Amino acid sequence: MTEIEGYRVVPLRMTPDAKHCHSVYMREHFIRLMDPNKPKGRTLFLLNVPPYITEASLQTFFKRVGNVESVLFAEKPGRDETAKWYEGTDVPFSNVQTPFKFKVAYVVFQKSISIGRALALESLDLYNSSGECLIKTGMELWHDDYENNYILDVEKTQKKINDYMAAYDKRERAALAAAKTSEADPDGWVTVGKDGRNAGFEQKESVIGRIESKLEKDKKTKELKNFYTFQIRESKMQNIVELRQKYEEDKQKIELLKKSRRFRPF
């Protein structure tokens, strides 16, 4: 019996002749804060549960040690993590679409004695008496996922459409409410005016100034220098004028040094 930091390490076998198996870690679940969905003394906690494991498969397997009340998944341990995992679904069981990723599991038994029996198991054998796997994997799983994307039931299709439109209307109302406020968005735009045709936009003076300076900078960046003949000619003339001006300034400095008797050429 292998244990690591209080967890019982058991192999997860999909077929009777499986030799190299995935390991699952399990122990009795206990926390300081009481959770009615995971009662103390009747809940088994499992770590490192693969994505393809379903609630129904774990419920079927653990029935051999006692009646199972429920099986719950979560992305990580935590009081509210189970609710996040099943967010947007009706009931936490195998008929709902849940995230396909590694997870933790909570197996709730009807009697406390079942916990000891579960921890005494040598392996998690997810296959029936005839050796058939209790879960779907590989091509069979992908095929079912593809088929489930198409809803043939008219009522389910209508419900899905209604849910989507309700969520869309909620987002639109939230966006409209935000637009009615006087706060500027990241680009500096502020919505003003009434609803309907008279709705408009205005910008703050500081934002307008930044936009104008950016446009002027972009214009200078795009301008070609010394590309045309007249530009080269004007550039040379400007250079000569600057040299002459600097020469005159240097002459004036020298005269000032002479007058102040600080001129020492040698």
Side-chain angles (χ1 to χ4, degrees):
M1 182 181 294
T2 305
E3 289 191 7
I4 299 178
E5 297 184 0
Y7 285 90
R8 176 90 160 84
V9 183
V10 293
L12 179 66
R13 300 198 303 173
M14 313 295 291
T15 57
D17 56 349
K19 295 181 180 179
H20 305 285
C21 305
H22 180 85
S23 294
V24 175
Y25 308 88
M26 61 183 187
R27 65 169 171 80
E28 182 180 351
H29 176 64
F30 58 89
I31 54 175
R32 295 179 181 177
L33 299 176
M34 298 298 295
D35 189 347
N37 295 322
K38 306 158 191 171
K40 184 178 180 181
R42 295 193 292 116
T43 305
L44 183 69
F45 178 60
L46 288 82
L47 276 176
N48 202 31
V49 180
Y52 47 82
I53 300 299
T54 62
E55 293 93 336
S57 62
L58 288 181
Q59 188 176 30
T60 302
F61 170 76
F62 282 108
K63 277 183 179 178
R64 66 184 64 182
V65 298
N67 293 329
V68 178
E69 186 174 302
S70 64
V71 177
L72 302 172
F73 286 154
E75 184 175 358
K76 58 184 178 180
R79 181 181 176 85
D80 300 326
E81 293 299 324
T82 301
K84 295 178 182 178
W85 182 270
Y86 296 104
E87 187 176 4
T89 61
D90 297 328
V91 289
F93 262 97
S94 57
N95 293 330
V96 299
Q97 187 70 23
T98 55
F100 191 78
K101 59 176 69 174
F102 274 85
K103 55 212 171 190
V104 300
Y106 301 90
V107 181
V108 181
F109 294 97
Q110 292 183 359
K111 296 182 179 180
S112 302
I113 192 173
S114 302
I115 293 292
R117 295 173 182 173
L119 293 174
L121 294 171
E122 295 295 331
S123 63
L124 297 182
D125 302 330
L126 298 185
Y127 55 85
N128 55 25
S129 57
S130 59
E132 296 179 356
C133 186
L134 297 177
I135 59 176
K136 297 178 180 179
T137 58
M139 290 296 296
E140 187 178 6
L141 175 62
W142 297 339
H143 179 269
D144 286 354
D145 288 342
Y146 177 80
E147 291 292 336
N148 292 333
N149 288 332
Y150 297 93
I151 303 175
L152 301 179
D153 192 336
V154 176
E155 294 182 359
K156 290 183 178 180
T157 304
Q158 187 62 47
K159 183 180 182 302
K160 189 173 182 180
I161 294 173
N162 294 339
D163 293 343
Y164 177 84
M165 292 307 301
Y168 174 80
D169 292 339
K170 183 178 180 180
R171 292 195 301 269
E172 288 297 311
R173 287 193 296 268
L176 184 60
K180 291 181 179 179
T181 62
S182 59
E183 298 180 358
D185 61 10
D187 295 329
W189 292 95
V190 180
T191 305
V192 297
K194 299 180 180 179
D195 295 339
R197 297 181 179 179
N198 296 327
F201 297 92
E202 69 175 1
Q203 283 186 322
K204 296 181 179 179
E205 293 183 0
S206 59
V207 177
I208 295 175
R210 290 200 302 269
I211 293 176
E212 290 179 350
S213 61
K214 185 177 184 302
L215 292 175
E216 186 67 23
K217 183 178 179 181
D218 292 343
K219 183 178 179 181
K220 292 181 180 180
T221 304
K222 294 177 181 179
E223 183 180 356
L224 297 174
K225 296 182 179 180
N226 297 334
F227 181 77
Y228 299 101
T229 304
F230 77 92
Q231 289 179 327
I232 297 175
R233 183 169 61 252
E234 291 178 355
S235 177
K236 289 182 179 180
M237 292 177 62
Q238 181 66 26
N239 190 26
I240 292 173
V241 171
E242 291 177 356
L243 288 174
R244 287 177 178 175
Q245 184 178 358
K246 188 175 185 304
Y247 174 71
E248 293 298 329
E249 292 176 355
D250 291 342
K251 284 177 62 177
Q252 292 178 4
K253 289 181 180 179
I254 291 174
E255 290 298 328
L256 290 174
L257 289 172
K258 284 182 178 180
K259 291 179 182 180
S260 62
R261 295 182 180 180
R262 292 181 180 178
F263 178 68
R264 297 183 177 84
F266 303 102

